[in-house]
Amino acid sequence: MTDMHIWYVTGLRCAGVALAFAFLLFALVHLYWAMNGRRGLRLALPHEGARPVFQPRRGAIMLVAAGSAACSALLLLWLDVICTPFPRAALRPVLQVAVILLGATLLVRAVGDFRHFGFFRKRGDGPFRRMDRLIYTPFSLVAGSLIVLMAFVI
């Protein structure tokens, strides 16, 4: 391995750990919302006029929190930050497919539903639209790209 390759892989590993912690933070925020926390909720839901497009139930919010925590664990497993009792060689193909699917899901989220979120959104207003344009969609694009790249390089 060349020095450049070592730096490249090290940088990807650091980015992957940062993304894992971001997913853990997302899980904690969703857990807060599931426990009737309201702060920041308006920034997380698309609106048309003064009304949210949908009102998620507690179970759905908990499911998103669990999924975010699972994404964090998946990335940490892929990066060998945490380990399992199973041999790495046996898990590698399954983990690689899961990591690719995670990255692809984020890239699809960045494209959006062509209505309320993503690069090609057409409707909606309020604080969510601004946050989606400035933070959520670019994060999805960058995170998805890095995760797919990690799946093939690391």
Side-chain angles (χ1 to χ4, degrees):
M1 279 206 271
T2 65
D3 286 342
M4 184 61 131
H5 181 73
I6 292 170
W7 282 105
Y8 182 67
V9 171
T10 302
L12 273 178
R13 283 186 185 280
C14 290
V17 170
L19 286 173
F21 281 109
F23 277 110
L24 194 58
L25 179 65
F26 298 159
L28 293 174
V29 168
H30 281 84
L31 194 60
Y32 164 76
W33 287 330
M35 298 301 151
N36 291 326
R38 294 290 165 227
R39 189 176 197 112
L41 192 57
R42 184 157 167 75
L43 298 173
L45 296 173
H47 285 70
E48 283 191 8
R51 301 183 61 89
V53 173
F54 65 94
Q55 191 67 41
R57 295 182 179 214
R58 180 176 292 181
I61 298 171
M62 291 293 287
L63 190 63
V64 172
S68 295
C71 291
S72 177
L74 173 66
L75 289 174
L76 293 175
L77 275 170
W78 180 251
L79 297 168
D80 289 327
V81 174
I82 58 177
C83 58
T84 68
F86 305 106
R88 173 80 172 151
L91 279 182
R92 184 166 174 78
V94 175
L95 287 176
Q96 185 173 27
V97 168
V99 169
I100 291 168
L101 288 175
L102 172 60
T105 301
L106 287 168
L107 291 172
V108 168
R109 194 274 177 228
V111 170
D113 70 346
F114 299 97
R115 289 180 297 170
H116 301 291
F117 63 87
F119 282 120
F120 300 105
R121 72 188 156 283
K122 293 189 177 23
R123 293 192 288 184
D125 55 3
F128 173 82
R129 183 177 175 117
R130 184 168 192 269
M131 293 297 287
D132 188 56
R133 179 175 47 89
L134 295 175
I135 297 173
Y136 308 149
T137 299
F139 173 83
S140 296
L141 178 65
V142 171
S145 300
L146 283 172
I147 290 170
V148 169
L149 187 62
M150 279 189 319
F152 290 105
V153 173
I154 295 177

